[in-house]
Amino acid sequence: MPELKEQIVVCGAGGFIGGHLVAQLRAAGATRVRAVDLKPLGEWYQKFDDVENHALDLQGLEDCRKALRGAHTVYNLAADMGGMGFIELNKGLCMLTVLINTHLLMAAREAGVQRYFYSSSACVYAADKQTKADVSGLKESDAYPAMPEDGYGWEKLFSERMCRHFREDFGLATRVARYHNVYGPNGTYDGGREKAPAAVCRKVIAAKLSGRHEIEIWGDGQQTRSFMYIDDCVHGSNMLLDSDFVEPINVGSSQKVTINQLVDIAEGMAGLKLKRRYKLDAPKGVNGRNSDNTLIKKVFNWEPSIRLEDGLEKTYKWIYEQMRKA
């Protein structure tokens, strides 16, 4: 955990991971949390009245300076991003996120920030390592030679290097986690920015509520991924932030499943079987991606361990309640 009595700033606090992080910091006893996001406060997924909440545009340097005034610890979770459907069709917007990390690093250096956490992504990994569904886990070294996801992945990899060089040149204590597909309740599940677990839950629930027992799946359903539940994500992030480990590290589950298997799990929760229609021309990303957790187990004697079946059940129930109310 960070220094809980010092000023902690969570950038991207109105988003999915940021909202859960703020909730966990409060529960741990943090007394000076500043939550910052571009979205108007009424659109935040989680907002707490005992936290200093600000709607600021962190692509601009001046708003970054406002956000980090007096800060001891900074979490940079802010990004213009979404699931594969969003990042494949909005590469320019994803690249502009580089302004957020660049200006936050500049403001952090000016403010004398003691710890700076950056949330990177498995999208930094080289595409030629992810051509087969039966892929081996991606090791941290697989990010180079560089061939990341076009747009979003390049921005993340460049921002990782910015963190490295601000640490080496200016002494800013940066920590970088490469997240692998984070999911859970209190996040987006429709509108185009949702990721696969939330999208699958929404589609299965919609089929159950409507009585139209069919589902559209992007790709052939054989592409593989691993999915990390939000509680593991927050724990791993704080563990890394509080450590002396300075290199980028995987924070992701090593439980690999196909998209078809993900649908199987959601169908089991709904108690039905759906007719599957495969949209082969839809964005589907790489054929296979999984997290190699050798390094995080060696350094921290820990890895994300919440089973997909358990985390997805909580996610499914939350999305079901939102859709039922709507």
Side-chain angles (χ1 to χ4, degrees), residues 7-8 41-42 54 58 72 92 123 145 173-174 187 192 197-199 206 215 227 229 233 236 247 251 266 274-275 307:
Q7 182 68 67
I8 301 170
L41 298 181
H54 297 274
L58 296 177
H72 176 280
C123 288
T174 58
I215 184 172
F227 300 101
Y229 189 63
C233 174
E247 299 297 330
V251 180
L274 303 177
K275 179 180 179 181
R307 296 189 321 142

Side-chain angles (χ1 to χ4, degrees), residues 185-250:
N186 291 296
T188 185
Y189 59 89
D190 62 3
R193 291 179 182 259
E194 67 278 11
K195 294 191 175 183
V200 166
C201 286
R202 185 200 75 239
K203 290 178 180 181
V204 171
I205 293 166
K208 182 180 180 70
L209 294 176
S210 69
R212 295 189 295 272
H213 289 181
E214 62 179 24
I215 184 172
E216 180 182 86
I217 298 172
W218 288 8
D220 61 8
Q222 296 303 313
Q223 61 268 37
T224 54
R225 296 290 187 273
S226 66
F227 300 101
M228 174 173 55
Y229 189 63
I230 183 62
D231 291 357
D232 274 339
C233 174
V234 172
H235 178 83
S237 300
N238 283 323
M239 181 181 65
L240 175 60
L241 179 68
D242 195 40
S243 77
D244 294 326
F245 189 80
V246 299
E247 299 297 330
I249 194 168
N250 283 334

Side-chain angles (χ1 to χ4, degrees), residues 297-310:
K297 287 190 289 187
K298 178 181 177 181
V299 175
F300 295 104
N301 192 31
W302 178 87
E303 66 173 322
S305 59
I306 297 172
R307 296 189 321 142
L308 177 59
E309 294 82 356
D310 298 328

Side-chain angles (χ1 to χ4, degrees), residues 86-324:
F86 179 83
I87 65 176
E88 281 202 6
L89 300 175
N90 295 276
K91 294 172 184 175
L93 290 177
C94 290
M95 289 296 290
L96 284 173
T97 297
V98 75
L99 295 173
I100 296 175
N101 192 58
T102 301
H103 288 145
L104 280 175
L105 284 169
M106 293 171 66
R109 181 192 175 202
E110 293 174 5
V113 166
Q114 298 299 301
R115 291 275 167 158
Y116 184 98
F117 176 87
Y118 177 66
S119 60
S120 187
S121 165
C123 288
V124 303
Y125 285 115
D128 63 357
K129 303 284 187 180
Q130 305 171 79
T131 58
K132 298 179 181 179
D134 188 21
V135 68
S136 299
L138 293 162
K139 303 184 298 292
E140 285 76 5
S141 59
D142 288 333
Y144 296 96
M147 197 192 306
E149 189 88 40
D150 198 12
Y152 179 71
W154 276 108
E155 185 277 320
K156 287 295 187 184
L157 194 60
F158 176 83
S159 291
E160 285 189 8
R161 301 301 294 189
M162 286 285 289
C163 288
R164 180 188 186 98
H165 297 312
F166 266 67
R167 173 174 55 82
E168 294 174 337
D169 294 354
F170 307 125
L172 178 61
T174 58
R175 302 291 183 266
V176 175
R178 290 176 179 162
Y179 289 160
H180 287 248
N181 291 309
V182 188
Y183 74 99
N186 291 296
T188 185
Y189 59 89
D190 62 3
R193 291 179 182 259
E194 67 278 11
K195 294 191 175 183
V200 166
C201 286
R202 185 200 75 239
K203 290 178 180 181
V204 171
I205 293 166
K208 182 180 180 70
L209 294 176
S210 69
R212 295 189 295 272
H213 289 181
E214 62 179 24
I215 184 172
E216 180 182 86
I217 298 172
W218 288 8
D220 61 8
Q222 296 303 313
Q223 61 268 37
T224 54
R225 296 290 187 273
S226 66
F227 300 101
M228 174 173 55
Y229 189 63
I230 183 62
D231 291 357
D232 274 339
C233 174
V234 172
H235 178 83
S237 300
N238 283 323
M239 181 181 65
L240 175 60
L241 179 68
D242 195 40
S243 77
D244 294 326
F245 189 80
V246 299
E247 299 297 330
I249 194 168
N250 283 334
V251 180
S253 170
S254 59
Q255 182 185 357
K256 182 176 67 176
V257 296
T258 67
I259 298 302
N260 278 331
Q261 289 171 328
L262 180 65
V263 175
D264 290 341
I265 297 170
E267 285 179 336
M269 294 169 188
L272 47 78
K273 291 294 291 183
L274 303 177
K275 179 180 179 181
R276 302 183 182 189
R277 293 184 290 103
Y278 295 95
K279 186 173 174 58
L280 300 180
D281 61 346
K284 68 180 185 68
V286 296
N287 287 323
R289 178 179 292 158
N290 192 22
S291 180
D292 183 313
N293 288 345
T294 303
L295 182 59
I296 198 169
K297 287 190 289 187
K298 178 181 177 181
V299 175
F300 295 104
N301 192 31
W302 178 87
E303 66 173 322
S305 59
I306 297 172
R307 296 189 321 142
L308 177 59
E309 294 82 356
D310 298 328
L312 198 67
E313 182 177 11
K314 296 178 182 178
T315 307
Y316 179 95
K317 289 179 177 177
W318 181 82
I319 295 175
Y320 184 89
E321 282 304 308
Q322 309 312 304
M323 294 179 67
R324 185 185 61 81

Side-chain angles (χ1 to χ4, degrees), residues 48-67:
F48 305 95
D49 293 336
D50 58 349
V51 167
E52 184 186 340
N53 298 306
H54 297 274
L56 296 171
D57 183 356
L58 296 177
Q59 288 192 11
L61 179 57
E62 286 307 313
D63 273 6
C64 288
R65 287 170 171 155
K66 292 177 185 177

